[in-house]
Amino acid sequence: MPTQRNNPKPVTIHVQPDGSDTNNGLSPRHGRGKTGPLATPHGAQRAVRKVLRAAKEPVAINVVFACGRYELKRPLKLTTSDSGWPARYRKWTVARPAHNVIWSASPGHHVVFSGGKTITNFKETALDDGRRVWVASLGQVTKGNWAFEQLFVNGQRAKRPRLPVGGGEFRFAKVIETGDDRVPWCGGNTSIQFAEGDLKADWHNLQDVEVVAMHVWMSSRMKIDSINEKKHLVTFQWPSSGRLNETHYPPIVPAPYYVENVFEAIQPGQWYLDRPAGKLYYMPHADQQIDKTDIVAPRLERLIDIEGDADNDRFVEGIRFENIQFSHAQWQVDRQQAAYGQAAAETGGAVTAHGLRQAAFVGCRFSGVAAYGLELTGACRDVDIRRCTFTDLGAGGVKIWHVDRQGRHIRSATPPCTHGCRRITIADNDMCDGGQIHLQAVGILIGRCMACTVVHNDIHHFLYTGISIGWTWGYGEENHAYGNVVEYNHIHDIGQGKLSDMGGIYMLGLAHGTRVRFNVIHDVHSRGYGGWGLYADEGSTGVLLESNLVYRCSRACFHQHFGRDNILRNNIFAFGGESVLQQTRAEEHMTCRFSRNIFYADGESMLGGTEGDYMFGAYTPQTLHLSNNLYWDASGKELRILGQTMKQWQARGFDEGSMVADPKFTAPQAGDFSLAADSPAWSIGFCMPDLSTVGPR
């Protein structure tokens, strides 16, 4: 049993809004001299470091915040000087228990770390049309030292004026810069033709007006440079991230788009920043009062910046954040940030960690941020993200990423990619309402990282993909995304018809040992092609997809673009949209093995492909294995697979032991896929998965 010497009494540091950073923080009450609470997180950091420097043995430190919003003037930067003492193990036993530095809210208190500034100097006036607005003069904006693209009113994100009014869309009339047709999604456009009347050259501060285009799997946000109404031509200050077509499959049509930050279009509940004049306008709702409305504008891009040095084994470690809200993180559109590609992977996080290990974020809330809520990169290890809420996100929820030894990001991170994160646990979180700025962001983005565990999360109402794993295209490049576990997640209401080529769970590249099991995925809807529940994209290899329930997708429940040695067994795939299953590219090796699955259609085909059903003519039982599956079409049509009856299909060597029969689901249209006692599914060896614990526990 540890002695008192090895387990000293924890030190508690108190912080509250009416405190003072000249205090010692060792008491929650103001006393004589310097006795009393601190006032800011930075003051608390100085107090923590003082304790750490004086400690002669490991000691736990609790930094406890009282209720309030703590507006950060600069990011809270944590280094190895802020580390606690994580647990140490020897031969599977605890040689030293953890003595963490815990940053937490006092029990029952609501604590917000804010990167914003409260705006209080509003005055009411009227526009030329008589509608009332509130106006605040901001000197730092006039001087060019501050600009922002977000505003939060009474804790909610307020929208900028948008056209068409009401949330609709325009569509470009003609793409005039065509690019390379071999890669029709590439090659950005700096100008394009619009339909008559959609854009106006006399809009106030025209070069602050932004066009947001939705094309294939990306969105691009471009500021206008000029508009020629006679030629119906708009020119942007920078190119889009790809050619501005809706998709790259026929019929190819120009992309849809909407326009933001048009002062003339302002409606109640919306705001406008007149940068040249340094004035912030907010048009209130009828019941809002100027002295009872809380309005916050963001200033900081990052709230917490944790910087370790994995190359030299100098990790930040032994740190926990508990029950703290992180909000009001900034983002500003510019040439480098306007046209992010797939998954908005180039965006960072409101809270960012490099070289962090044996740490945790528990019960925190990430909301009202401009990019991802939390970003881990730079060889982070053994970090838990549990029971957190990620909502109202400019991009996505959690980004687990890789960089190389030079610190380069994205696809320039070449093998051996030793800095991919490992053993990150993302469990029991609620993630929703992403893509507020970057539509193509995902709930959880995992790059070239291994042994991560993603379990029991509720991921919903994103405009692109729910979970994305891997970051190489094809077989040749090392992916390092091995042994990841994705289980018991509830993923639903994904896509919402905004972008194409997306899915509930998206996979890329070599991924041996990865398990995708016991997930419930439904209501996945793309704009054009795509909209798949489970999506094994280019080179997906060595993945087990087992005991998942996938239903109501716009294109198919499962799609494999191309891949190798993937196993799909004991899944229920129902109501696939165009088809229940899709595979695109025939290859000479074994691509997938399907066994003991239930495939349930309602008039759609059983098998299809994004490039046409003719692709399946090249498949053989040596490259696509199916056996002991149960097929049924609830529409009453005769079931055919690529135009063939089951008997003809089996004569080709496919689906030995499979049958066509009603599985006798209880209420599939209502999402109840429990099986009757006399279901024929039992005879093919199907085992009904227990999905009662899916989602946060």
Side-chain angles (χ1 to χ4, degrees):
M1 184 173 180
T3 65
Q4 184 67 26
R5 177 178 174 81
N6 293 325
N7 192 24
K9 183 179 180 180
V11 174
T12 299
I13 296 171
H14 301 272
V15 190
Q16 59 192 51
D18 66 350
S20 170
D21 282 349
T22 62
N23 288 336
N24 57 22
L26 299 180
S27 172
R29 298 179 179 86
H30 295 277
R32 294 181 178 179
K34 295 185 178 180
T35 300
L38 299 161
T40 69
H42 289 92
Q45 180 185 37
R46 289 190 291 271
V48 168
R49 289 182 171 183
K50 183 177 180 180
V51 174
L52 292 172
R53 287 193 300 267
K56 300 184 183 304
E57 57 187 347
V59 58
I61 303 175
N62 298 315
V63 186
V64 180
F65 290 83
C67 182
R69 184 165 69 211
Y70 297 83
E71 294 186 354
L72 304 173
K73 294 183 179 179
R74 62 184 186 280
L76 181 63
K77 183 177 179 180
L78 302 181
T79 69
T80 53
S81 298
D82 303 289
S83 291
W85 289 269
R88 291 290 183 256
Y89 302 89
R90 184 179 299 116
K91 295 184 178 179
W92 305 104
T93 62
V94 179
R96 186 189 74 195
H99 295 79
N100 293 309
V101 177
I102 303 176
W103 300 69
S104 68
S106 182
H109 287 225
H110 181 208
V111 173
V112 180
F113 282 14
S114 170
K117 176 179 174 60
T118 303
I119 310 298
T120 59
N121 61 328
F122 281 101
K123 296 181 179 179
E124 185 164 314
T125 185
L127 298 178
D128 291 343
D129 60 8
R131 292 183 298 166
R132 68 174 184 138
V133 292
W134 301 343
V135 183
S137 296
L138 303 177
Q140 292 299 311
V141 173
T142 306
K143 295 175 182 177
N145 298 328
W146 188 23
F148 45 90
E149 279 77 24
Q150 302 170 101
L151 194 73
F152 301 93
V153 179
N154 292 335
Q156 302 296 316
R157 181 186 298 269
K159 301 293 186 181
R160 296 190 296 179
R162 171 175 164 167
L163 291 173
V165 173
E169 296 174 351
F170 297 124
R171 186 178 293 276
F172 292 120
K174 183 179 181 181
V175 178
I176 58 176
E177 301 167 320
T178 56
D180 186 348
D181 287 333
R182 294 171 298 179
V183 282
W185 55 90
C186 295
N189 297 120
T190 54
S191 59
I192 194 168
Q193 287 186 336
F194 58 89
E196 184 173 359
D198 288 350
L199 304 180
K200 300 293 185 181
D202 61 352
W203 280 334
H204 186 63
N205 293 334
L206 180 64
Q207 294 187 334
D208 277 352
V209 175
E210 296 174 19
V211 170
V212 182
M214 293 151 282
H215 49 110
V216 288
W217 56 86
M218 296 172 282
S219 66
S220 292
R221 184 176 290 268
M222 299 86 64
K223 283 190 174 182
I224 292 175
D225 183 62
S226 64
I227 289 176
N228 187 321
E229 291 192 51
K230 290 184 178 180
K231 295 183 177 180
H232 302 153
L233 182 71
V234 56
T235 300
F236 306 122
Q237 295 177 31
W238 48 73
S240 59
S241 56
R243 199 182 310 180
L244 292 175
N245 289 321
E246 183 174 83
T247 75
H248 56 80
Y249 284 106
I252 295 176
V253 296
Y257 71 97
Y258 58 89
V259 187
E260 272 191 6
N261 209 34
V262 180
F263 182 56
E264 289 82 350
I266 194 167
Q267 302 293 319
Q270 297 179 342
W271 64 279
Y272 179 83
L273 180 65
D274 189 332
R275 289 194 307 125
K279 293 184 180 297
L280 171 62
Y281 292 81
Y282 175 69
M283 180 172 284
H285 293 287
D287 59 350
Q288 287 182 319
Q289 300 177 38
I290 199 167
D291 58 343
K292 295 181 180 180
T293 304
D294 179 49
I295 298 181
V296 179
R299 294 186 301 177
L300 303 180
E301 291 190 8
R302 292 180 179 175
L303 310 182
I304 309 290
D305 197 352
I306 303 173
E307 293 191 0
D309 181 2
D311 272 336
N312 296 300
D313 198 31
R314 289 179 53 81
F315 287 84
V316 178
E317 55 189 352
I319 290 179
R320 296 172 64 91
F321 286 91
E322 299 182 358
N323 303 314
I324 292 176
Q325 177 175 325
F326 302 98
S327 293
H328 313 140
Q330 170 67 307
W331 175 83
Q332 287 186 270
V333 61
D334 62 25
R335 186 177 302 273
Q336 285 72 41
Q337 295 179 313
Y340 288 150
Q342 182 168 327
E346 296 91 337
T347 62
V351 176
T352 298
H354 303 258
L356 175 68
R357 72 181 177 192
Q358 295 196 48
F361 296 84
V362 180
C364 294
R365 182 181 180 88
F366 299 78
S367 66
V369 300
Y372 278 85
L374 175 61
E375 177 193 38
L376 303 182
T377 185
C380 290
R381 302 282 193 269
D382 303 300
V383 178
D384 280 5
I385 306 161
R386 295 182 184 269
R387 299 191 301 278
C388 294
T389 297
F390 296 81
T391 186
D392 186 21
L393 307 160
V398 177
K399 173 183 169 185
I400 311 299
W401 211 237
H402 55 270
V403 296
D404 66 7
R405 292 184 183 275
Q406 287 72 45
R408 294 173 296 182
H409 288 255
I410 318 304
R411 297 183 72 175
S412 63
T414 54
C417 296
T418 56
H419 279 54
C421 297
R422 301 182 184 184
R423 299 187 300 277
I424 309 300
T425 297
I426 307 172
D428 301 292
N429 303 286
D430 183 18
M431 301 186 180
C432 63
D433 299 323
Q436 298 288 335
I437 297 173
H438 312 286
L439 280 65
Q440 66 269 46
V442 306
I444 298 173
L445 175 60
I446 299 176
R448 300 177 183 181
C449 306
M450 65 177 66
C452 296
T453 301
V454 182
V455 294
H456 290 284
N457 300 287
D458 190 3
I459 302 171
H460 55 103
H461 293 92
F462 283 82
L463 304 180
Y464 181 54
T465 286
I467 299 173
S468 177
I469 302 178
W471 203 252
T472 60
W473 284 255
Y475 305 114
E477 192 172 1
E478 180 55 70
N479 195 25
H480 285 281
Y482 302 135
N484 293 304
V485 175
V486 182
E487 296 180 344
Y488 295 101
N489 299 287
H490 187 196
I491 305 168
H492 58 99
D493 297 287
I494 298 295
Q496 302 179 66
K498 295 298 183 183
L499 299 173
S500 303
D501 204 326
M502 43 71 63
I505 298 177
Y506 175 91
M507 296 154 279
L508 267 175
L510 306 178
H512 296 89
T514 291
R515 305 196 307 268
V516 178
R517 307 190 306 166
F518 302 105
N519 301 285
V520 175
I521 304 170
H522 61 91
D523 295 290
V524 180
H525 298 290
S526 59
R527 177 181 292 275
Y529 76 99
W532 299 298
L534 296 168
Y535 180 9
D537 202 4
E538 299 187 19
S540 293
T541 296
V543 181
L544 170 64
L545 302 103
E546 180 179 40
S547 297
N548 300 286
L549 168 59
V550 184
Y551 62 99
R552 286 203 301 262
C553 301
S554 61
R555 293 303 182 267
C557 298
F558 171 79
H559 171 237
Q560 177 159 303
H561 186 175
F562 63 90
R564 182 194 299 266
D565 296 329
N566 296 311
I567 297 173
L568 292 96
R569 66 188 181 209
N570 211 75
N571 300 285
I572 298 174
F573 294 147
F575 308 133
E578 290 182 344
S579 55
V580 177
L581 305 175
Q582 290 185 345
Q583 292 214 171
T584 297
R585 184 180 301 179
E587 300 177 276
E588 295 182 355
H589 53 253
M590 178 58 67
T591 58
C592 287
R593 298 178 182 272
F594 295 86
S595 63
R596 305 198 315 273
N597 301 285
I598 301 177
F599 303 137
Y600 192 89
D602 189 15
E604 72 270 27
S605 64
M606 281 293 172
L607 287 175
T610 58
E611 296 177 6
D613 291 350
Y614 70 90
M615 296 291 296
F616 284 92
Y619 278 104
T620 69
Q622 289 72 45
T623 60
L624 177 64
H625 175 84
L626 299 102
S627 65
N628 299 99
N629 298 297
L630 178 62
Y631 293 81
W632 186 247
D633 190 333
S635 71
K637 295 192 315 185
E638 180 186 16
L639 189 139
R640 289 180 173 268
I641 303 173
L642 301 180
Q644 302 165 68
T645 66
M646 177 59 75
K647 185 175 181 180
Q648 293 169 328
W649 178 246
Q650 289 176 325
R652 290 183 54 190
F654 296 106
D655 265 313
E656 180 181 356
S658 297
M659 66 172 68
V660 177
D662 186 349
K664 299 185 178 180
F665 291 129
T666 300
Q669 294 288 353
D672 184 351
F673 291 87
S674 56
L675 293 168
D678 61 345
S679 170
W682 311 124
S683 66
I684 64 169
F686 183 84
C687 181
M688 189 67 196
D690 181 4
L691 301 175
S692 61
T693 63
V694 162
R697 293 165 288 192

